[in-house]
Amino acid sequence: MLNKLPLVLLALLRATPAAAATSYDLIESHKGASFFDGWTFAQGYDNTTNGDVVWANSSKVAYVNGQGKAILKVDNSTEVPYNEKRESIKLYSNNYYRPGTVWVFDASHVPVGCSVWPAVFTQGTNWPEHGEIDIFEVVNNDQMNQYALHTTAGCVASPGSGGQTGTQGFAECDQNQNSGSGCTVRDVDTASAGKGFNDAQGGVYVAAFETDGIRIWFFTRSKIPSALTADATTIDLDSLGTPSARYNAGQGGCDIEKFSGSQRLTLDITLCGDFAGSPTILQQTCPALVTPQTCYTTYVLKPESYADAWFEINYLNVYGTSGSIDPALSVNGGQGGISSSASSSRPTTSSAIGSGTSTARTTSTTTGNAGNALPTQTVSSASRVKYWFGGAGWAVGLAVVVLAS
Ligand SMILES: *[C@@H]1O[C@H](CO)[C@@H](O)[C@H](O)[C@H]1NC(C)=O
Ligand SMILES: *[C@@H]1O[C@H](CO)[C@@H](O)[C@H](O)[C@H]1NC(C)=O
Ligand SMILES: *[C@@H]1O[C@H](CO)[C@@H](O)[C@H](O)[C@H]1NC(C)=O
């Protein structure tokens, strides 16, 4: 079939970021005073997972501390009046990334506590058609991270002979099965999330998004490979050992290019909602709710519930090639992020705010919720892109080329 493709397409295929690369160069670095450059703050309510938060961008939820670390937190200084939501934070990367991208996330503290639901994940423009990769996700007082992909039907988790150190949960990535859990892998390290993570001074997550598969590694602080530093200008995936979670692209696995569009990175902390607030999930690591109290009335109204509900981030680096950033989908054609050499602040554009894809981290169907009211019919790639860009026609031509490749 390949030899029937026009030459121009073959050229495009060759130009696609290589699947076989094991080493990638630093293309973006978020740390210190410029950490918040290159992101867009979400606004409004959590209309994707029904959390009891309102997304904010004040110093109550986002700042750089005295040690130059970025703090992303739930507001823990406000008594919330009944029926109102608590302020928290959700950041979207201004850039969308193609396969051939590696995200490295180093934190010394992650949010923990009853009702708390932090996540570091990626999604394509249209959900679940364009996929979701959950890199870090945990609820309440759990101490073991859960990895997942969320896709349409046809993608199955297959760690293959390369293996993974995590425990396989559901193998089926189809969002329409297993109550929307996606294909899950649970880390076996009790320092991979929650109090265990924080007691160990945190650690590093490395997520590699490549055409031949998706791999995610976790290293607790004391076991971080010496080459993995904030200033490292390259990353060699071959040196990292067996990943915690592995989703191979091969036979019986998941065709990454078919099930994942370019991905946008998201960091957020929501409260209660479809996953953390489910009474059965909640009582796995927190006291059972006392009728008629709910997750919201028990926790959200009180600031003291959130003394530990914060991320402290040392750095977030992105490694890849010149083809990693998708100009058609990224804010300002890919100039909305920061380059590894640029450190100047740039104004945050708001054009990506509210292009809210539905997140998958639901355990129940949220019928009637606006966050899931996305068009699911198959339309042409061009009109899908156009839909998400609210008619930014200039993006369409480029997107078609990207999708065709
Ligand atoms: C924060 O929100 C305000 C009001 O919604 C907006 O004017 C401002 O640009 C936002 N700042 C950032 C950094 O997004
Ligand atoms: C809010 O969180 C900070 C950081 O954990 C803590 O020092 C402070 O005491 C908390 N405030 C309240 C009112 O719980
Ligand atoms: C979710 O809320 C945001 C902000 O209020 C809004 O712009 C967006 O359209 C909403 N998404 C959906 C799918 O309703």
Side-chain angles (χ1 to χ4, degrees):
M1 177 186 168
L2 261 189
N3 59 9
K4 294 207 177 112
L5 289 173
L7 276 178
V8 61
L9 265 186
L10 275 176
L12 277 170
L13 282 172
R14 293 213 181 90
T16 300
T22 66
S23 182
Y24 293 96
D25 295 326
L26 183 67
I27 56 172
E28 256 180 66
S29 185
H30 299 268
K31 60 173 188 269
S34 62
F35 180 89
F36 291 98
D37 291 356
W39 303 91
T40 298
F41 285 72
Q43 296 179 327
Y45 295 107
D46 175 4
N47 54 11
T48 60
T49 58
N50 296 312
D52 291 315
V53 297
V54 55
W55 305 122
N57 69 7
S58 70
S59 58
K60 282 182 182 170
V61 300
Y63 57 92
V64 176
N65 73 10
Q67 290 86 53
K69 299 178 181 194
I71 305 292
L72 277 59
K73 71 195 290 279
V74 175
D75 167 17
N76 76 326
S77 62
T78 307
E79 294 278 351
V80 171
Y82 181 74
N83 256 343
E84 291 184 16
K85 310 265 188 197
R86 180 168 292 282
E87 288 193 357
S88 188
I89 183 168
K90 182 173 194 174
L91 294 182
Y92 299 115
S93 63
N94 284 344
N95 287 335
Y96 276 83
Y97 306 91
R98 296 180 177 125
T101 300
V102 181
W103 299 283
V104 180
F105 174 75
D106 182 319
S108 39
H109 191 280
V110 290
V112 59
C114 300
S115 79
V116 178
W117 178 4
V120 177
F121 63 102
T122 74
Q123 286 183 331
T125 46
N126 199 0
W127 185 90
E129 284 81 9
H130 294 158
E132 169 175 333
I133 307 167
D134 296 339
I135 300 167
F136 172 81
E137 176 164 38
V138 66
V139 291
N140 305 316
N141 285 324
D142 200 348
Q143 293 195 159
M144 287 180 282
N145 185 47
Q146 180 167 287
Y147 310 91
L149 304 188
H150 298 266
T151 67
T152 49
C155 167
V156 176
S158 156
S161 57
Q164 62 189 8
T165 60
T167 306
Q168 189 74 53
F170 296 116
E172 182 54 70
C173 306
D174 180 1
Q175 180 59 24
N176 285 322
Q177 296 196 36
N178 303 314
S179 310
S181 297
C183 42
T184 53
V185 176
R186 198 161 158 79
D187 207 291
V188 294
D189 190 337
T190 53
S192 60
K195 187 174 184 301
F197 182 98
N198 298 338
D199 287 349
Q201 284 78 54
V204 175
Y205 279 95
V206 178
F209 172 46
E210 299 177 284
T211 52
D212 57 2
I214 291 167
R215 288 175 287 168
I216 310 174
W217 290 261
F218 169 68
F219 302 100
T220 192
R221 182 69 51 203
S222 62
K223 293 187 183 153
I224 297 173
S226 57
L228 223 54
T229 65
D231 299 323
T233 54
T234 60
I235 187 167
D236 179 10
L237 299 179
D238 272 356
S239 70
L240 300 182
T242 306
S244 297
R246 181 195 295 262
Y247 300 92
N248 281 335
Q251 203 78 38
C254 182
D255 182 337
I256 303 300
E257 286 174 297
K258 182 172 174 195
F259 291 100
S260 301
S262 296
Q263 300 286 302
R264 177 173 69 173
L265 193 57
T266 300
L267 276 60
D268 76 358
I269 316 171
T270 193
L271 303 176
C272 300
D274 299 324
F275 189 10
S278 148
T280 48
I281 300 282
L282 192 62
Q283 71 183 40
Q284 288 171 3
T285 55
C286 287
L289 294 173
V290 179
T291 316
Q293 303 301 325
T294 62
C295 179
Y296 172 75
T297 59
T298 307
Y299 300 109
V300 177
L301 305 177
K302 304 166 189 160
E304 59 270 25
S305 307
Y306 303 106
D308 288 318
W310 42 283
F311 279 111
E312 183 177 61
I313 300 171
N314 295 317
Y315 69 90
L316 195 159
N317 283 354
V318 185
Y319 295 84
T321 65
S322 57
S324 292
I325 295 173
D326 187 333
L329 296 177
S330 299
V331 172
N332 294 338
Q335 306 306 304
I338 54 169
S339 76
S340 53
S341 52
S343 58
S344 65
S345 280
R346 66 181 70 244
T348 306
T349 104
S350 63
S351 59
I353 289 180
S355 64
T357 46
S358 166
T359 97
R361 300 176 314 286
T362 58
T363 52
S364 62
T365 320
T366 52
T367 311
N369 179 268
N372 291 324
L374 301 174
T376 50
Q377 77 275 25
T378 307
V379 292
S380 75
S381 303
S383 57
R384 260 203 301 243
V385 170
K386 193 165 182 178
Y387 173 81
W388 284 103
F389 272 75
W394 60 268
V396 174
L398 277 168
V400 168
V401 171
V402 168
L403 290 161
S405 71

